[in-house]
Every structure is written in structure tokens, then in C-alpha cells.
Amino acid sequence: MAPGTQMHGKDGLTRVIGQLQGLELPAPAWEERILPARIQRYNPADLEHLCLSGVVTWGRLSPGGAAGADEEPDGELPKARTRRPGPVRNSPLAFVLREDLPAFLVPATEADLLAGLPSAAREVAEFLATRGASFLPEIARGTGRLPSEVEDALWDLVSAGLVSGDGVAGLRLLLGRNKPPARHARLRAVPGGRSGAISGISGRGRPLPAGRWSLWRRDAAEEDPAERDELVARQLLRRYGVVFRDLLVRERNAPPWRVLLLVLRRLEARGEIRGGRFVNGFVGEQFALPEAVESLRAVRRSGDDAGTVILPAADPLNLIGIIVPGQRVSPFSTLAVAYRNGVAIDVAPLGTLRSRLWGRESAAPSP
């Protein structure tokens, strides 16, 4: 992000998640790229604290298949497969303020979500439905499955949009973010320690808790459709400042534009937002928060060079090919995009992109 725009600490992290909630991004991108770019000196323990305290929750909002059945890295539809894929790290996940979760969950029954999943995943889901939130060793004992089988089953259930965890330590291990010394180490109880701790991963000599796993859709109450539509409309305004139809390309779980349009017109009639033409080159109605309009005017008046900002393809601000000219870059790719004053100037793998930009700067004549 641009210098001076980053947040700080747990309060800043809560605000960032509040702005980005509802977006499903590749799971590893959240802590590798998205949150550190927006939080100065990002501390992973802050996210764990917010999850364990019930402020934030995580999981897949939209119905998904078995792990690995998601979008291909190049953005094309998944090709036909002859065998069920194993768990993959790139499954789309979202972080959401727990109180707003019902508004962002895409309606689906547990039976539909379980369809096509392997037997181990169905057994784990049945155990969690009966016993409620449970630690991994408890699930393994209750189902008679090996811990390794339970891990794979949990990731299948996470990818399908059925299961979440109390904290994010278990998710990090499933993603391979925290790797135990042993090559094939798994989630297990630490001998002599608390049940559900992560063996081999410690903070200041003590094991970190992996937390419990549960069927998170059962924790979410039904949301009134009209209230949900208004909350999502307000969320889009909070995320982008200015909202129009073309922006919904990245918002896979949002209501149709015709539904949001009625809500936005109603908010404009109340005087809460403004309607008008704020971004040139796009047809249809546009709506903006009053503070966003003032920010746009300030940028136009200043004319300052904001410098170059490099964003990973998974970042929500990767709008190239959507509202920014250029060929669309899939959020599931390993590419990065360089912006200068809101214009995409280059797309390449991160290392290549940095080398190119540094080369241009060193070759530029001194003022």
C-alpha cells in the first residue's frame, strides 16, 4: 500500500477485515500478502487473538467442492478431472466479522455441500454435527480415523464451505505455513500438554493451540434478505468508496446488480450516499460515499505523483482488466501488478517486476 495509509495493531486489523469481509481470496494470500500490506508490522498473533475472542471468523462463504476443485491459476474454468484432487493451498477463503457472518454466507444446505465429498469428510462432518466443536484428537478418536485422514477431511470440509476453526493456528498448519521439523508431522496432541496443541510449533517454548473445529454454518442465524442486501451494498461502498456495476466482477458472492441498484437508490434518497458520474469511461449509475467524493476531488486538485505500488494478483485492488485497462490477471495466479497513480504499468512475477522497476529507476536521469 501507499506510504502513510497502513493501519496499526489489533484495532487496525479489525478495520481492515471489516473493509475486506465478504471477499474470498486464495487462502495463503491473506497472511502472506493482503494483511501485511495493510497493517504496519503485522503480527499474526493479533489475528489469532481476534478469532479466539469471537470478533473475527474465517471460512469459505460460497458452496465449494472437494479441495482442489477451485479456479485454475490462469483464471480458466477447472478442466475435467479423472480423480478427486487432494487438498490444495489455494482454496478461496474469507475473513469476516463474526456479527456480520449471516449476511455473507451464500445459502446452501449441508447435504448439498457434502455431496461428492469423500467418506472421511462425511464422517468428520457427522461427528461435528453430533458432538459440536471438537479438537482434532477428539475427532480422530470419535471417527476411528488416523490424524492424517482427519486433517485431509477437515481441509475438504473447509474448502467445501462447511467447517471453520476457533483460531487460525490450525489453518496455518493445514496450509503449510507453520511447518514442524518432522517431514510428515501432523496436528497432534503434545505429550504432557494441552489437547489440540500443534506439535513442534511453539511460541517462546510453549506449544501453540490448534483450537477446535466446527460446522460454522450452524453458528450463523438466518438473515433477512432485505437486510442482507443493504449490508452488502454498504460493504461495497466501504470497500471501494465508489460503486458501479463493473466492480462486481470480483464480488462473486454479491447479490445481482439489479438488486443492489434498488438499495443504493434508496440510500441516495435518504441522503446517506451520493449518485452521479464519479469515474469516467463506464456506463450506468454510480454511487459514492461523501468522503470518497471529497478524496477524489483532493487527488484531482493535488496532481501529486503517488509513486509506484506493487500488488499481488490476489489483492482486491487488482482491478486490471475490470476497471483498469489491460488484460485481466487471475487472483489465483502468482503474478504481481505494478500501479503508478492508479494506472497499471507492468505485470510479471514479483521478483521480475521488482527488478524491472529498480532498473528503470536506476536508469532514470537525476533531477
Side-chain angles (χ1 to χ4, degrees):
M1 298 295 103
T5 62
Q6 291 181 308
M7 301 288 184
H8 301 267
K10 286 193 285 288
D11 290 341
L13 180 57
T14 303
R15 291 184 62 184
V16 168
I17 291 175
Q19 185 183 48
L20 299 182
Q21 63 178 350
L23 274 175
E24 290 183 321
L25 305 175
W30 282 101
E31 289 200 281
E32 290 178 2
R33 301 291 182 187
I34 306 302
L35 297 179
R38 290 164 170 79
I39 305 295
Q40 190 169 26
R41 296 179 182 175
Y42 171 69
N43 184 355
D46 289 341
L47 182 60
E48 183 77 5
H49 178 271
L50 291 176
C51 288
L52 292 176
S53 61
V55 176
V56 171
T57 186
W58 61 268
R60 182 161 188 174
L61 303 171
S62 59
D70 294 304
E71 185 176 350
E72 296 294 315
D74 59 3
E76 298 177 356
L77 293 175
K79 299 177 176 60
R81 302 180 188 269
T82 57
R83 56 181 295 183
R84 188 189 72 82
V88 295
R89 301 177 74 246
N90 243 21
S91 294
L93 296 180
F95 283 88
V96 182
L97 299 180
R98 186 175 288 274
E99 63 181 0
D100 294 335
L101 175 60
F104 294 105
L105 275 176
V106 178
T109 65
E110 289 184 4
D112 290 339
L113 295 174
L114 285 170
L117 293 184
S119 59
R122 294 196 298 270
E123 290 174 17
V124 169
E126 183 178 355
F127 177 86
L128 293 175
T130 303
R131 294 287 300 274
S134 303
F135 294 104
L136 186 142
E138 297 172 337
I139 301 172
R141 287 195 298 269
T143 59
R145 294 277 183 173
L146 295 173
S148 59
E149 294 178 300
V150 174
E151 282 188 40
D152 288 345
L154 285 171
W155 191 236
D156 275 327
L157 293 169
V158 167
S159 298
L162 271 164
V163 161
S164 180
D166 287 342
V168 290
L171 173 64
R172 289 167 180 158
L173 189 59
L174 289 181
L175 290 173
R177 183 172 178 80
N178 291 329
K179 296 183 180 179
R183 181 179 178 185
H184 298 294
R186 296 275 186 168
L187 284 170
R188 58 176 65 87
V190 176
R194 295 170 53 190
S195 177
I198 301 177
S199 176
I201 302 176
S202 61
R204 297 183 180 179
R206 294 185 299 176
L208 297 176
R212 301 174 303 170
W213 301 89
S214 61
L215 299 173
W216 78 326
R217 287 178 177 268
R218 296 196 169 193
D219 298 333
E222 291 290 332
E223 183 81 1
D224 178 79
E227 293 181 1
R228 176 184 184 272
D229 294 339
E230 181 168 331
L231 193 149
V232 172
R234 292 182 182 276
Q235 180 65 44
L236 294 175
L237 287 163
R238 183 180 182 183
R239 178 145 53 241
Y240 297 110
V242 179
V243 174
F244 47 95
R245 183 173 184 170
D246 296 70
L247 275 176
L248 296 189
V249 173
R250 284 293 299 268
E251 303 288 338
R252 298 170 56 185
N253 300 330
W257 175 247
R258 64 179 183 276
V259 174
L260 292 174
L261 190 57
L262 297 176
V263 177
L264 293 167
R265 287 173 177 170
R266 189 162 58 246
L267 294 177
E268 182 190 9
R270 294 178 192 164
E272 297 184 43
I273 63 175
R274 299 181 186 177
R277 184 70 58 185
F278 308 105
V279 182
N280 293 328
F282 299 94
V283 298
E285 298 178 62
Q286 300 180 14
F287 302 88
L289 294 172
E291 54 267 34
V293 176
E294 295 305 317
S295 295
L296 289 172
R297 289 173 178 169
V299 170
R300 187 182 300 115
R301 286 194 298 264
S302 68
D304 292 339
D305 186 347
T308 301
V309 176
I310 298 177
L311 300 174
D315 197 285
L317 293 179
N318 167 23
L319 298 174
I320 186 171
I322 300 174
I323 66 171
V324 177
Q327 184 176 357
R328 188 177 174 189
V329 180
S330 169
F332 290 84
S333 75
T334 58
L335 299 176
V337 183
Y339 286 92
R340 180 178 288 275
N341 297 329
V343 178
I345 59 174
D346 203 352
V347 178
L350 182 59
T352 303
L353 195 56
R354 285 175 173 167
S355 298
R356 289 178 184 172
L357 294 174
W358 289 337
R360 292 172 188 170
E361 292 175 0
S362 61
S366 301

